[in-house]
Amino acid sequence: MHPRPSTFSIVARDPETDAVGVAVHSKFIAVGAVVPFVAADAGAIATQSFANVTYGPDGHDLLREGKTASETIEALTGVDEEAPSRQIGVVGRDGSVAAFTGEDCFDYAGDRQGETYTVQGNILEGPETLDAMAEAYETTDGGLPERLLAALRAGNEAGGDRRGEQSAALYIAKPEGGYGGGNDRWVDVRVDDHDAPIEELERVFRLYDVTLLERAEPEETRELTGEPARDVLAALAELGFYEGTPSEAFDGEARAALEEFRGMNNFENHSTAVLEDALARGWEETDPAQGGEDRLIDAIWHGLSRLERV
C-alpha cells in the first residue's frame, strides 16, 4: 500500500478571471507532487487519502467532455475498487462543484462546499478545520491566491492535520496565465519539506507574485522620503547595492541602487518608479525584525497589492 497523503485542501474557481486552483497542506513529503491538478480549460481537482493520481488527468478529460463535477466524481470512483479509501474535490470550469469522501477514510474526514469552492480533509483534528477554511475563503478580500492561502492558514490554525505539518502547495491555472502567456500555469509554488510549510508557502508566493505576476499600472506614484527612505537605503547598503550614507533623501544615486536591486532580482514586471512607489506605500506594513532583502520584498508586495493583477 502506498503512503497516504492525508491532508486538507481547497479547490476553487474565480468566475471573474476564469482561474481555477488548489491549495493543499499535509504531513506528507511534497504534497504538491501528488494532490493538485489544474487546467484552465477543464477545472481543478484535488485527489487525496490514498490518492489516485489518475483522477487528475482522467477527471480533466471528463470535464472537457462536458461532465459536471459530480458526474466526473461518479465516473472516477465508480470504476475504482479502492474508492472507499479515497477523497476528491472537483470544481469544473463550468462552475460546478462537488466532493467525495470515502467511508474508509481515517477520521476525522469530511468535506464542505460553497458556490465556487469545496474544502476536504482527512486525519484532521476535527470538523473545525473545514469550517474555518470555508469561512476564511468566503470572507477574505483579494484575488484567488490570497483567498486560497487564507483558507489554508485558517484550516491549520483550527487544528489541521492531526499528525503535524510538512508540505504545502498552491497551484492555479488561468487562460494564457503562464510565463509569457505561453501556457495556463499562472501560479505554481510548492514547499516540499518544512517545519512551517504554510508560512513558508506564503513567503515564496509573495516573491513569485512580485517577480512573475503582472499588475495594472498605478495612476500616480509616490517618491520615497523621510524615515522609510533612510531604512530602504540602509537595506540596499546592507545588500551591497548602495555605497553612500543612508539619509531621508532618495536621490539619483539611491534610485540607481534600487534599479540594480530590481535587475538582480528579476523584477522586470515593474519599473523602478513603481517599485519606489510600492516601497513608499508598503514599508510601514513590514516587520522591522525581517532581514534587509526579505523586508524590501515584503514592502514591495504590500505596496503592489492595491493594484489589480492582469
Side-chain angles (χ1 to χ4, degrees):
M1 184 68 72
H2 294 295
R4 175 190 295 252
S6 307
T7 183
F8 55 92
S9 65
I10 177 167
V11 185
R13 172 178 176 265
D14 179 1
E16 294 185 5
T17 64
D18 285 331
V20 291
V22 177
V24 56
H25 166 272
S26 184
K27 179 63 175 75
F28 183 85
I29 186 72
V31 70
V34 177
V35 170
F37 293 84
V38 298
D41 66 343
I45 296 171
T47 172
Q48 55 203 50
S49 180
F50 290 119
N52 184 342
V53 294
T54 67
Y55 281 7
D58 291 351
H60 282 160
D61 287 344
L62 290 165
L63 291 169
R64 291 187 186 102
E65 291 172 7
K67 301 288 188 184
T68 65
S70 59
E71 290 169 341
T72 295
I73 289 176
E74 183 177 353
L76 294 171
T77 57
V79 295
D80 183 358
E81 294 181 355
E82 297 185 34
S85 298
R86 315 283 196 202
Q87 192 171 47
I88 180 174
V90 178
V91 173
R93 185 172 179 265
D94 64 354
S96 59
V97 176
F100 169 84
T101 299
E103 59 186 14
D104 292 343
C105 290
F106 290 166
D107 286 336
Y108 175 79
D111 54 79
R112 307 277 190 278
Q113 286 73 53
E115 184 177 355
T116 60
Y117 70 90
T118 175
V119 295
Q120 46 281 320
N122 57 90
I123 315 189
L124 301 178
E125 287 285 357
E128 298 82 7
T129 293
L130 302 179
D131 296 336
M133 292 177 73
E135 181 179 2
Y137 184 78
E138 291 184 1
T139 59
T140 296
D141 294 329
L144 186 59
E146 284 81 10
R147 298 177 72 190
L148 291 176
L149 288 170
L152 215 58
R153 187 186 326 114
N156 197 48
E157 291 174 352
D161 187 326
R162 60 185 170 86
R163 300 167 309 160
E165 303 181 58
Q166 187 170 5
S167 66
L170 176 66
Y171 191 9
I172 304 174
K174 187 176 77 167
E176 299 181 354
Y179 187 77
N183 61 22
D184 67 358
R185 193 188 301 252
W186 190 44
V187 177
D188 186 3
V189 290
R190 286 170 38 179
V191 174
D192 288 343
D193 185 27
H194 198 277
D195 291 339
I198 295 175
E199 181 178 329
E200 178 66 3
L201 185 69
E202 291 175 323
R203 185 193 70 80
V204 174
F205 168 70
R206 290 186 177 190
L207 180 57
Y208 183 103
D209 189 8
V210 171
T211 308
L212 292 174
L213 303 187
E214 297 184 12
R215 300 270 184 171
E217 287 292 317
E219 293 183 2
E220 60 178 7
T221 57
R222 296 179 183 175
E223 294 184 353
L224 270 165
T225 58
E227 188 174 341
R230 187 185 65 236
D231 290 345
V232 167
L233 284 174
L236 291 171
E238 176 187 331
L239 296 170
F241 294 105
Y242 184 71
E243 296 181 356
T245 300
S247 71
E248 295 186 356
F250 206 77
D251 56 16
E253 185 180 354
R255 292 188 177 92
L258 181 58
E259 170 63 22
E260 186 178 355
F261 173 80
R262 169 181 173 265
M264 184 68 70
N265 286 278
N266 302 300
F267 293 160
E268 283 85 0
N269 275 348
H270 314 287
S271 69
T272 303
V274 169
L275 291 187
E276 182 179 348
D277 171 77
L279 287 165
R281 296 175 187 272
W283 190 255
E284 293 185 356
E285 297 187 54
T286 61
D287 182 357
Q290 290 178 297
E293 185 170 51
D294 286 343
R295 192 176 184 190
L296 286 169
I297 293 170
D298 198 27
I300 291 169
W301 185 84
H302 278 291
L304 291 174
S305 293
R306 80 185 197 285
L307 306 173
E308 289 189 11
R309 294 189 182 97
V310 297

